[in-house]
Amino acid sequence: MKKVSIVTNIIIILSLIVLSVFTTTFSTSYVFSYDNDNVIYNGDRNDNKVSIMINVYEGTDHINEMLDILNRYNAKATFFIGGIWAEKNMETLSKIMANGHEVGNHGYLHLDHSNMDYSQNYDEILMCHNLIKVYTGHDMRLFAPPSGAFNNATVDACNNLGYITIMWSKDTIDWRDHDVKLIYERATKSVSGGDFILMHPTECSVSALSAILEYYRINNLVATTVSDNLHTK
């Protein structure tokens, strides 16, 4: 455990160094403006693809269960990873990626990005990016704001970092409502191609996931990653 802690501390220090370099490089190009085209709520409405978005700051055991279910249905999902979770759960993060799922950025500390200025938004997103980049070599390009909270500065920071800001079209609200039937209904009612379905690794979401994926299968909907749904994969 001590060795892992030392490695983690080294990576955080390296990330902070890189963070300071990139912040100095890009902060001067900030422009405080955006339009709706910079924030994406759904994918291709003319296709039969839907995307389950799983926001991760906890629930490691449930993630492993979700991976097993997704694999049984040959389904792919996008996991938006919180940096503070990734720091302690790199083995599970590696398993997510090894199973062919997409990894996106969910910020480092699950902060309210709508109450942050440009530099704060930029630093929070980049810190998570650098941590996962150092551990996995993967460059994330999708950012999902925690709680869906963002402002102009958030979107501009994303743009300058080469990110797309991702929201959702259907929310299971599984973090609040621990009701398997309700989660299932919210993930399937009037669902159509292009939908982004927001979930979290909770016990009830695990219980609902098989039925949700079965519904998609029966209705000729393909569960795939957000990037695939956007045709940017």
Side-chain angles (χ1 to χ4, degrees):
M1 292 296 293
K2 183 177 290 184
K3 183 177 180 180
V4 172
S5 178
I6 292 171
V7 171
T8 298
N9 288 335
I10 291 172
I11 289 171
I12 291 173
I13 292 169
L14 289 173
S15 297
L16 287 170
I17 292 171
V18 175
L19 171 65
S20 64
V21 172
F22 275 88
T23 301
T24 302
T25 302
F26 286 104
S27 61
T28 56
S29 65
Y30 159 60
V31 178
F32 194 84
S33 65
Y34 77 96
D35 56 40
N36 290 337
D37 291 339
N38 297 106
V39 183
I40 307 298
Y41 291 81
N42 59 266
D44 186 351
R45 288 299 190 187
N46 296 314
D47 210 335
N48 68 335
K49 297 175 180 179
V50 295
S51 299
I52 293 176
M53 300 168 46
I54 303 170
N55 288 353
V56 180
Y57 268 97
E58 57 187 2
T60 303
D61 291 340
H62 298 316
I63 291 171
N64 288 313
E65 295 176 279
M66 285 178 141
L67 290 175
D68 290 341
I69 296 169
L70 288 164
N71 284 344
R72 286 205 300 270
Y73 281 87
N74 195 29
K76 301 303 178 186
T78 297
F79 289 78
F80 286 93
I81 304 297
I84 196 168
W85 176 87
E87 182 183 327
K88 302 173 183 177
N89 295 279
M90 280 296 165
E91 183 176 347
T92 304
L93 176 59
S94 296
K95 184 176 179 181
I96 290 171
M97 298 177 69
N99 278 269
H101 301 290
E102 182 174 38
V103 171
N105 192 322
H106 200 40
Y108 197 84
L109 292 170
H110 203 275
L111 302 178
D112 182 350
H113 284 254
S114 67
N115 285 324
M116 296 162 62
D117 63 21
Y118 175 80
S119 294
Q120 292 168 328
N121 271 282
Y122 191 101
D123 291 355
E124 177 72 6
I125 297 166
L126 186 59
M127 182 66 178
C128 181
H129 180 96
N130 286 342
L131 179 71
I132 291 177
K133 171 70 173 179
V134 169
Y135 269 113
T136 70
H138 177 64
D139 281 306
M140 299 177 292
R141 286 295 172 249
L142 304 178
F143 173 68
S147 305
F150 66 92
N151 57 21
N152 294 24
T154 311
V155 180
D156 281 334
C158 280
N159 289 346
N160 281 343
L161 286 165
Y163 270 83
I164 301 172
T165 304
I166 301 294
M167 295 293 285
W168 60 83
S169 55
K170 293 193 175 297
D171 189 355
T172 61
I173 321 179
D174 51 359
W175 58 271
R176 185 191 71 188
D177 299 327
H178 304 292
D179 184 318
V180 175
K181 182 179 179 181
L182 195 55
I183 292 168
Y184 170 82
E185 289 177 351
R186 288 171 176 164
T188 58
K189 185 177 181 180
S190 302
V191 69
S192 61
D195 271 326
F196 294 167
I197 300 96
L198 179 61
M199 301 183 75
H200 299 80
T202 71
E203 182 177 356
C204 288
S205 292
V206 170
S207 297
L209 186 56
S210 290
I212 291 169
L213 292 172
E214 182 65 18
Y215 180 91
Y216 295 163
R217 186 189 66 80
I218 291 172
N219 287 276
N220 194 35
L221 293 169
V222 177
T224 188
T225 66
V226 168
S227 288
D228 189 30
N229 206 331
L230 293 172
H231 303 298
T232 60
K233 187 175 180 179

